[in-house]
Amino acid sequence: MSNKKTMTTVIMAAVLTAASTVCALADGAVTFPLEKGYEFSMMTRAASDSVQDFSQKALVQRMQEKTNVTVDYQVIPDEQFDEKYKLALSKKNMPDVVTKMYIKPYDILGYANKGVFIPIEDYIKEDMPNLTAVLDKRPEVRAAITSADGHIYTLPFINEWSKNSKENINVVGAIPYINTTWLKEVGMEMPTTTDELKTVLETFRDKVSTENGSVIPMSFRINQVNQDPGITLGSFGCGDDMDHYMVTNDKKVYYTLVQDDVRKGLEWLHELYQDGLVDPEIFSQDGSTYAAKVASGRVGLFYDWSIGMAGDHIDEYAPLPPLKGPDGTVNVPRQNYYSFDMGVTAVTAACGKPEIALAYLDQYYEPSMSIQNCFGTYGDKNFTNTFTMDNGMLKWTKEGQDGKVRNDQNLYDVFAILADYYGVYVDKMVDSDGERLDMIKKIYSPSIQSDYNYPAAFMDQEDITRIAEIETDLQSYAEQVKAGIVKDGISDADWKAYLDKVDQMGLKELLELKQKGFDMFYKLTN
């Protein structure tokens, strides 16, 4: 038995003082089906309009038959889950496994240091061959789930669309969608430069009319995820992303909102704002107000993750390609999004036989099972099926494209879908993902200049705490200034005063800590 497994047994005994027995850990891999059945509890969440009794799901039934393991799913409605799982983890009779938490490194380490989450790296090595194979193929995921103390406390899920990180559907967030019907109406081509875009917006303002209210040439929500115009600021240099960290091609971390070229882009937006080309409510409108405005068909250019925000007017819009800036710069900034989530599933100290629970969960990291865990399954007489099975390949049904159908069948907890599974284990992607991937590859990926985004670096608690202490006030202040430049512009003196202020707030230390995390991550991946 490994030293780490011995330590796990000690942790379990200390935490579960009320338990009569702590079961011995297995030496070697678990073999299914078990000769003697085993049951463990697993707290999870589900949408309130989807199936709450997971024992009805074909995936769960098939797994029980295959493994002789019964999972007691404790299903909590989405809106109650965060409160209830935290309460459950504060008690001795906590569930054996908790999943769909989506928590960050600070909280993972907090639960680990209290003895609530057990280290699982030895179990992964000995009892989880499917996950091990995935982590060997994707060392960046192994690095992301490995804490600074060397332990792994959580299982990830992975949903990858392309092996080229510049082509994944989340490499950019907010896409600018322009009204091509209006372009035809006023006899103009798709703009290719920032100057041409300004002329187009002026023409929209002066020559277009709608039955649904006054024309809004351009609208967005500043500093709001997937609705901010940071992608267009790339025409002036680095552009902006939603946490404002970027990485140079020689692996140096920097902060976007102190870059002179970002200032130039924001001042360009200020010119548009001054000329009445930008919605005056960009600073205050909430998501529903913004969505309703776009869906009314009276916005010439809007920013969102999906063109679907245009509602009945979808056919009138198309993605605006990257624009050349005043000095000829064409650049699409990368978002710090990933094709995986690290803080999803943890085994608690209440689990009597972690090796069995983890070996069971490992079955879902097999490629075909991963796809079904994420999206749904086939051959289920109780529900509408997401797939059919044809000669070992899952094939989408028309009905399976509906999210409600998928949620009734899937588990969406432990899975790893790699880009090379498509066409091998499943015929294609979800249609919406496939369409976005095609758009990113053709329109935006070729103009991404940066080879790196900021990774999911798992730093120690002290560094995470210090980053949060600096970042909270600094980001709020920097975003306030960002919005202020769009509204009022900024003088050289005020820009210098702003740079001095963020320095006083600890920007240098913040970037040193973020660089430390970046360097550690890439050391682990290599």
Side-chain angles (χ1 to χ4, degrees):
M1 187 182 297
S2 70
N3 290 334
K4 290 178 181 176
K5 284 194 173 182
T6 302
M7 180 182 69
T8 298
T9 305
V10 173
I11 293 173
M12 290 164 60
V15 174
L16 300 178
T17 54
S20 59
T21 303
V22 177
C23 297
L25 299 173
D27 289 322
V30 175
T31 301
F32 293 125
L34 300 177
E35 290 186 12
K36 182 180 179 180
Y38 179 70
E39 180 173 330
F40 69 91
S41 59
M42 185 164 170
M43 179 173 279
T44 186
R45 70 168 85 203
S48 56
D49 65 344
S50 67
V51 174
Q52 305 292 302
D53 181 1
F54 279 24
S55 68
Q56 297 180 34
K57 300 194 180 203
L59 275 175
V60 174
Q61 295 166 2
R62 291 171 187 160
M63 277 285 285
Q64 182 171 345
E65 182 178 352
K66 175 183 177 182
T67 63
N68 200 18
V69 173
T70 301
V71 180
D72 172 20
Y73 282 98
Q74 301 172 5
V75 182
I76 310 298
D78 273 337
E79 59 272 16
Q80 302 173 26
F81 183 79
D82 285 349
E83 177 183 353
K84 290 199 172 183
Y85 94 79
K86 291 173 184 176
L87 180 61
L89 292 179
S90 69
K91 297 180 178 180
K92 287 183 178 179
N93 62 339
M94 67 183 88
D96 298 319
V97 177
V98 181
T99 189
K100 298 171 82 168
M101 293 179 291
Y102 314 127
I103 58 177
K104 301 302 181 186
Y106 182 88
D107 295 311
I108 294 171
L109 289 172
Y111 284 121
N113 291 336
K114 293 175 184 176
V116 175
F117 293 170
I118 66 170
I120 59 174
E121 62 274 5
D122 283 353
Y123 298 109
I124 292 173
K125 181 179 179 180
E126 296 175 19
D127 304 309
M128 303 188 75
N130 290 312
L131 176 58
T132 297
V134 170
L135 297 180
D136 288 346
K137 292 178 181 177
R138 298 295 184 268
E140 67 274 16
V141 179
R142 187 187 293 275
I145 63 175
T146 302
S147 69
D149 64 10
H151 291 305
I152 295 174
Y153 298 105
T154 54
L155 298 174
F157 74 56
I158 305 170
N159 196 356
E160 180 184 81
W161 301 272
S162 173
K163 286 188 283 188
N164 181 347
S165 64
K166 289 185 179 182
E167 295 177 352
N168 270 319
I169 67 172
N170 56 6
V171 70
V172 295
I175 299 292
Y177 293 102
I178 191 166
N179 194 315
T180 55
T181 298
W182 289 4
L183 284 175
K184 292 176 184 176
E185 180 181 327
V186 298
M188 302 184 78
E189 300 293 327
M190 181 73 77
T192 61
T193 69
T194 52
D195 286 343
E196 289 177 6
L197 177 60
K198 181 178 181 182
T199 301
V200 164
L201 296 176
E202 289 170 339
T203 307
F204 285 172
R205 178 196 61 193
D206 298 336
K207 296 188 176 181
V208 173
S209 60
T210 73
E211 297 177 354
N212 301 322
S214 58
V215 164
I216 301 171
M218 178 184 195
S219 191
F220 50 84
R221 296 176 69 216
I222 196 141
N223 293 319
Q224 298 300 316
V225 175
N226 295 331
Q227 295 178 340
D228 180 271
I231 186 173
T232 303
L233 300 183
S235 300
F236 298 84
C238 67
D240 191 23
D241 59 24
M242 292 320 299
D243 61 6
H244 317 302
Y245 298 109
M246 289 187 182
V247 183
T248 67
N249 285 348
D250 57 359
K251 298 183 180 178
K252 299 300 179 185
V253 180
Y254 65 97
Y255 200 69
T256 58
L257 294 185
V258 297
Q259 306 302 312
D260 287 340
D261 57 73
V262 172
R263 174 191 172 184
K264 291 177 182 176
L266 294 173
E267 290 186 309
W268 172 76
L269 283 175
H270 170 62
E271 292 176 15
L272 303 185
Y273 181 81
Q274 266 192 322
D275 291 344
L277 305 178
V278 174
D279 186 349
E281 296 182 340
I282 58 169
F283 311 104
S284 59
Q285 61 189 344
D286 61 20
S288 58
T289 301
Y290 179 59
K293 198 177 291 183
V294 171
S296 73
R298 61 192 185 95
V299 178
L301 177 68
F302 73 92
Y303 291 78
D304 195 64
W305 175 271
S306 170
I307 199 171
M309 179 174 278
D312 293 339
H313 298 273
I314 285 177
D315 292 342
E316 299 171 19
Y317 290 87
L320 175 68
L323 303 173
K324 286 185 180 180
D327 65 357
T329 296
V330 181
N331 177 45
V332 171
R334 297 178 68 144
Q335 296 293 319
N336 295 319
Y337 300 158
Y338 319 108
S339 57
F340 56 87
D341 197 310
M342 59 194 286
V344 182
T345 304
V347 177
T348 76
C351 187
K353 295 185 177 181
E355 73 280 7
I356 294 180
L358 287 162
Y360 174 93
L361 294 174
D362 186 58
Q363 305 304 301
Y364 285 117
Y365 284 111
E366 185 277 327
S368 182
M369 288 295 286
S370 281
I371 293 160
Q372 293 172 71
N373 184 299
C374 181
F375 296 117
T377 190
Y378 61 93
D380 188 344
K381 296 180 181 179
N382 295 323
F383 299 104
T384 303
N385 288 286
T386 304
F387 298 110
T388 60
M389 179 65 86
D390 184 5
N391 292 323
M393 180 182 286
L394 296 163
K395 294 191 174 181
W396 283 91
T397 63
K398 181 179 179 181
E399 295 79 9
Q401 296 292 327
D402 181 80
K404 175 67 168 61
V405 169
R406 299 200 297 267
N407 287 340
D408 281 341
Q409 287 200 313
N410 70 4
L411 303 176
Y412 205 80
D413 45 30
V414 287
F415 59 87
I417 302 174
L418 305 186
D420 43 16
Y421 291 0
Y422 292 104
V424 178
Y425 300 98
V426 63
D427 58 342
K428 62 177 182 177
M429 296 180 186
V430 180
D431 286 348
S432 57
D433 286 357
E435 290 165 3
R436 184 175 173 91
L437 179 66
D438 187 60
M439 173 183 66
I440 297 294
K441 287 175 66 174
K442 290 179 178 178
I443 301 176
Y444 298 105
S445 175
S447 296
I448 294 175
Q449 304 300 326
S450 178
D451 293 334
Y452 305 98
N453 60 359
Y454 193 85
F458 199 156
M459 291 175 273
D460 61 42
Q461 256 187 320
E462 182 180 350
D463 288 347
I464 296 169
T465 301
R466 184 57 183 148
I467 286 171
E469 289 173 350
I470 301 172
E471 193 176 57
T472 301
D473 291 338
L474 191 150
Q475 180 171 328
S476 177
Y477 173 61
E479 289 182 350
Q480 179 183 347
V481 170
K482 173 185 171 181
I485 295 173
V486 176
K487 186 176 182 181
D488 301 315
I490 193 167
S491 66
D492 289 344
D494 287 343
W495 178 252
K496 183 179 183 305
Y498 160 67
L499 296 180
D500 290 342
K501 178 73 177 291
V502 293
D503 279 344
Q504 294 167 12
M505 297 176 79
L507 179 61
K508 181 180 179 182
E509 182 185 359
L510 178 63
L511 290 175
E512 287 173 350
L513 290 169
K514 297 292 283 189
Q515 186 71 53
K516 176 182 176 183
F518 181 94
D519 294 342
M520 178 189 70
F521 180 90
Y522 275 95
K523 183 178 180 180
L524 283 172
T525 60
N526 293 297

